[in-house]
Amino acid sequence: MKKRWLLPLCALSLSLTLTPARAQETEALPESGPVEADPFGETLPLIPEPPAVSQPLDFQPDDLPVSPGVPRSLEPPKPSETRLAIEKQQREVNMRKARIRAEADPDLQAIRQGARQARTDAERRYALNLYYDRLYALMLKIDPSLRQDELEDRKRAAVAPLTQDEIRASVWTPAGAAAR
């Protein structure tokens, strides 16, 4: 049992006796810093001094050629496909939220009910055109971050079936419908 602690104790005492000798060796080194012998006979410092810059550079970083595949720091990086898909999905969610809030408007619900109760196709088309105009205007008012072009595309798609391209339009007017 005594042998286990005897070896570390001897090593500790030996290292303490050698430490002052090493301290004396480091004091004997010249103050210029540690040097290393060069195989060619010259002495070199272990840490070289940085070269002094005598003149500023005569070119600008923009003059350098750009390697393909390495983006310039001034150009914004292209968004990844994943980022684009996330943004598109977020726009869809915002569009649905705005549509749900807009469809809860009592005036818009009255216009929609009027379109359902219309007696003629022309009255129904007129009421639905009015409904979609007000719906998408209200959606944009509720959420101004929605993209105008996407709203216009959706409105165009909703109103497209209401047009009569090959049938002669009836002589119906909104003022005539109100007179009944």
Side-chain angles (χ1 to χ4, degrees), residues 26-73:
T26 56
E27 291 175 9
L29 290 176
E31 291 183 20
S32 63
V35 293
E36 181 179 313
D38 188 26
F40 299 108
E42 299 176 7
T43 56
L44 299 173
L46 292 178
I47 302 174
E49 295 292 323
V53 178
S54 60
Q55 300 177 5
L57 300 174
D58 60 344
F59 64 88
Q60 298 296 324
D62 292 337
D63 297 339
L64 296 175
V66 178
S67 303
V70 177
R72 283 189 150 206
S73 61

Side-chain angles (χ1 to χ4, degrees), residues 145-156:
S145 69
L146 296 176
R147 290 175 46 180
Q148 182 75 27
D149 58 336
E150 287 182 3
L151 285 174
E152 289 296 324
D153 289 343
R154 286 175 183 251
K155 179 181 169 186
R156 206 174 303 117

